[in-house]
Amino acid sequence: MFRSKFEIPASQAAARPLDSPWNLGQHRRVMANTRPDPIEKTDTAEKADPLTPHGGFADLVGYRIGDWESGHAEVILDVEARHLNRSGVAHGGVMSTLIDAACGYSGCYCTVPGNARRAMTLQLTTQFLGQVRHGDTLTATGRVVGGGRSVFFADCEVRTAKGELVGRGEGVFKYRRGSETPEGLPARQTHG
């Protein structure tokens, strides 16, 4: 008889509490009832500001921009319960997101108010160097280290508020059409 690697003997299943992750049906019901409240939609004026990270994923994660200038960007996140993995530390995807965002923003600073620059990630490498707990504040500092007209390279360090290095990474990014120059395009033309 074929048995799934996730199947457990009935004698062990009976010994597990109903809210155990091993009781998959119950686990799904428990998780469905503990989803966080939906993120409130941002104000329309904020949506029009290209300097404000907004939109589905940025709103979901909850990061914000600190210092931002040509070739340099800081992305800040206050670690909450929703950012933790099942071991009680920040999920690696959170750190990867901060590295990706900081590197991307570092190459997309725009010199013209009301305009924006956009880029897409071509490659991202991350290294996790320490554990991050609920209540920590992370600052991901990205900086451009090279590139040309259509592609740029950036690296990033992620530190806690105490200055502890907990992650690092680097990425390769391609400018979207119209974002190749520091002047960028009117923000409404860079979406999509």
Side-chain angles (χ1 to χ4, degrees), residues 31-145:
M31 294 307 292
N33 293 328
T34 59
R35 288 188 181 137
D37 292 333
I39 305 291
E40 291 182 27
K41 295 189 188 243
T42 55
D43 180 79
T44 52
E46 186 177 309
K47 284 185 177 182
D49 181 1
L51 303 181
T52 304
H54 57 78
F57 197 64
D59 289 346
L60 181 68
V61 175
Y63 62 76
R64 62 190 183 278
I65 299 297
D67 186 33
W68 192 19
E69 58 191 44
S70 182
H72 171 88
E74 288 181 354
V75 175
I76 302 167
L77 177 73
D78 298 318
V79 179
E80 301 173 4
R82 65 186 170 143
H83 300 120
L84 305 180
N85 63 21
R86 64 189 178 130
S87 298
V89 296
H91 191 282
V94 172
M95 191 91 65
S96 297
T97 295
L98 296 179
I99 292 168
D100 186 35
C103 285
Y105 275 108
S106 72
C108 290
Y109 182 79
C110 189
T111 59
V112 177
N115 283 8
R117 298 173 76 192
R118 306 273 188 235
M120 64 184 95
T121 308
L122 298 177
Q123 179 178 329
L124 186 70
T125 304
T126 58
Q127 296 92 42
F128 308 111
L129 307 172
Q131 294 183 345
V132 178
R133 305 234 179 252
H134 181 269
D136 286 344
T137 298
L138 298 177
T139 301
T141 304
R143 65 185 181 95
V144 174
V145 294

